[in-house]
Amino acid sequence: EKRTRKSYEEKNKETQHHISQKLINIAIAKKSNLIASADVLTTSELLSLAEKVGPNIVALKTHIDIITDFDYEKTIVPLLEIAKRHDFLLMEDRKFADIGNTQELQYSYGIYRISSWADLVTSQVIGGYAAMEYFLNSGIVAILGMSSKGTLTDNHYRNEAEKIAIEHPNIIGGVCQNEISDSLLLFTPGVNLATAGDGKGQQYNTPEHVFKNLHSDFIIVGRGIYKADDAEKASLEYKIAGWNAYLASL
Ligand code: BMP
């Protein structure tokens, strides 16, 4: 197969990018490969979730443009403080999908000023290699394959997108439901312990599946955590399930 199971220690030796190294070091220190997706609608929910799940995660993934009361000083400044205190990275799931110049503007300007706070950003690679040059402060996670039913990310698309991801020094990994090259970190969303789908096209797998069969490196969990009655407890359960699945896959 094209991807072998490597430990975080082995990956740490092979990676060149400082953001990958940071992420892997946090994973080793916390015994966690969990990224919580904070798809909540207000600043107070975002900060309260970050506070609760912070000790159990390697990164918090945001869709910052769904925060209805976004205010840089009230949303980002305290979020950065929580991330620093609990030692996790911030990943903005912006899924950029434009020409380089526009992506550069979207990344640094507007009210969100993503470049000033996001350790990681997601981007489609549909705009080609050169469009990936402008996310200078963040590690890029390329969208190679999607988890939704009927996605257009077929074999051909994934292979072409993966070539760009492998070649580009700013791209540290990919989001995918398939195995990808060893030289990329693999981030897998669509993970839920309790359900197989959401009735809106989302398709879920278990941590066991993604570590054993895909040799994934990080699981991304949204509703399994933020919709749980006790988000703190749920994040601990996913952290343990993810870490045990990783150990079992070695
Ligand atoms: P949930 O676990 O609630 O289904 O959330 C999954 C999260 O991962 C969402 O924020 C979604 O935007 C993201 N995601 C995904 O589900 N599938 C993909 O292929 C790529 C994603 O970024």
Side-chain angles (χ1 to χ4, degrees), residues 124-138:
Q124 305 282 0
V125 288
I126 190 98
Y129 185 96
M132 299 292 109
E133 301 280 81
Y134 307 99
F135 305 119
L136 288 180
N137 304 333
S138 315

Side-chain angles (χ1 to χ4, degrees), residues 40-65:
V40 295
L41 301 179
T42 63
T43 294
S44 72
E45 289 170 283
L46 175 66
L47 299 179
S48 135
L49 184 71
E51 198 70 76
K52 285 182 200 156
V53 305
N56 297 323
I57 61 173
V58 294
L60 190 76
K61 186 174 82 59
T62 52
H63 284 293
I64 205 65
D65 56 351

Side-chain angles (χ1 to χ4, degrees), residues 37 39 61 63 93 95 145-147 175 189 202 204 221-223:
S37 186
D39 302 337
K61 186 174 82 59
H63 284 293
D93 194 4
K95 296 190 182 71
M146 293 191 68
S147 62
V175 167
Q202 175 68 302
Y204 289 120
V221 181
R223 282 162 284 185

Side-chain angles (χ1 to χ4, degrees), residues 37-39 61-63 93 95 122 143 145-148 151 175-177 188-192 198 202-204 220-227:
S37 186
D39 302 337
K61 186 174 82 59
T62 52
H63 284 293
D93 194 4
K95 296 190 182 71
T122 59
I143 306 296
M146 293 191 68
S147 62
S148 46
T151 177
V175 167
C176 202
Q177 300 295 317
T188 311
V191 172
N192 197 297
D198 67 355
Q202 175 68 302
Q203 305 173 115
Y204 289 120
I220 298 175
V221 181
R223 282 162 284 185
I225 293 173
Y226 72 81
K227 286 277 195 197

